[in-house]
Amino acid sequence: MNKRHNILIVDELDLRELVTSYLRKEGFAVYTAETGDEAIKRLEQEPMDLVVLDVMMDEMDGFTACKEIRAFSQIPIIMLTARSGEDDKVMGLQIGADDYIVKPFSPRELVARIEVALRRTQGIQQVDDTGYRFNELRIQPSGRKVFVNGQEISLTKKEYDLLVFLLEHRGRVFTREHLHDRLWGMDTQQGTLRTVDTHIKTLRLKLKPADRFIKTVWGVGYKFEVDS
């Protein structure tokens, strides 16, 4: 990748040293932390591009650390674990992780996952200070306008807000509950979880063929993902 990215590794000493050595050979600037608390403090003070976060840590586990990070940052997070159960993977994605790797893994696999996560979060082109473009999809937030293949698409307020929210957090999976709370508020009188599914469905219909960017992650939720 062209830019020298800053990667924060949060794991036990032996794995930190192994991963750090390999990533530096691949051209990444690598920083390390031993605990979740240390990682959070570092992220609050220094700019990072991605976090590799172990699930099993003393004092604060990786799931808790991921939640804490998501409270103030949308940085890509790849979680590592020795447990291969599906429940752990789903939990990691639900709380905001971008990817999940089971130990043992090869350093080459980790590098590939890091590069994919970075592409997903940086793949959208900024048209100007107020707009985005990716392939046939163009969005002008200043006028709340959306274009597909140059043709303006008529979206409701909630459809537009849903599209922009997913786009601005591209690559990250959001549960229906999270999207509902974010866009309709905590008051259940304003909508149900089926409301989220309905808006996703109509949004996809209106955006064709750019609907391919809105992905369903079965058992978890939805995300906006650009082509790798």
Side-chain angles (χ1 to χ4, degrees):
M1 304 186 77
N2 294 329
K3 177 187 172 185
R4 183 176 169 85
H5 291 91
N6 296 332
I7 309 296
L8 178 62
I9 308 296
V10 192
D11 206 331
E12 60 189 6
L13 179 60
D14 290 346
L15 192 57
R16 285 203 315 269
E17 292 180 342
L18 173 65
V19 171
T20 296
S21 175
Y22 195 88
L23 292 183
R24 283 177 176 163
K25 288 180 182 178
E26 293 295 317
F28 294 100
V30 183
Y31 303 81
T32 63
E34 185 175 355
T35 67
D37 283 328
E38 183 182 341
I40 290 167
K41 290 177 182 177
R42 181 146 227 175
L43 288 170
E44 290 175 334
Q45 297 171 356
E46 301 179 54
M48 297 289 168
D49 297 300
L50 183 143
V51 180
V52 177
L53 179 64
D54 189 22
V55 170
M56 304 299 293
M57 296 187 295
D58 296 332
E59 300 178 20
M60 178 189 293
D61 65 33
F63 293 135
T64 303
C66 183
K67 290 180 182 178
E68 295 284 340
I69 292 170
R70 279 289 172 255
F72 66 88
S73 174
Q74 297 302 322
I75 187 172
I77 298 174
I78 296 178
M79 301 196 75
L80 306 178
T81 183
R83 301 186 297 192
S84 59
E86 183 178 289
D87 289 346
D88 285 348
K89 181 175 182 179
V90 170
M91 181 183 295
L93 294 172
Q94 285 179 332
I95 62 176
D98 296 270
D99 203 352
Y100 198 97
I101 303 178
V102 178
K103 300 176 184 177
F105 57 86
S106 72
R108 289 180 62 192
E109 178 188 4
L110 178 59
V111 169
R113 298 287 189 98
I114 287 173
E115 291 179 341
V116 168
L118 291 171
R119 282 199 299 270
R120 286 174 178 169
T121 54
Q122 298 173 10
I124 300 243
Q125 299 175 357
Q126 191 86 18
V127 179
D128 51 38
D129 291 338
T130 59
Y132 297 100
R133 186 205 305 273
F134 190 78
N135 290 353
E136 69 270 31
L137 177 65
R138 183 161 60 94
I139 299 175
Q140 292 181 341
S142 58
R144 295 178 64 87
K145 294 182 178 181
V146 176
F147 300 85
V148 176
N149 287 325
Q151 180 178 354
E152 184 173 357
I153 305 300
S154 177
L155 300 180
T156 67
K157 179 181 184 301
K158 281 293 189 289
E159 289 167 353
Y160 176 86
D161 291 343
L162 178 59
L163 173 62
V164 171
F165 179 77
L166 290 172
L167 182 148
E168 290 182 341
H169 300 86
R170 50 199 175 271
R172 179 181 165 191
V173 181
F174 289 95
T175 64
R176 294 155 72 218
E177 291 84 356
H178 189 129
L179 291 172
H180 175 266
D181 291 346
R182 175 65 175 77
L183 297 173
W184 281 267
M186 300 299 291
D187 184 358
T188 56
Q189 297 294 323
Q190 298 182 36
T192 67
L193 298 185
R194 287 294 300 169
T195 302
V196 176
D197 295 334
T198 299
H199 278 72
I200 288 287
K201 181 179 179 180
T202 57
L203 185 57
R204 282 170 166 161
L205 288 172
K206 292 181 179 182
L207 289 178
K208 285 183 177 296
D211 60 307
R212 70 182 186 280
F213 298 128
I214 301 177
K215 308 289 187 182
T216 297
V217 181
W218 297 108
V220 183
Y222 301 101
K223 66 177 178 178
F224 188 103
E225 183 175 80
V226 299
D227 300 330
S228 297

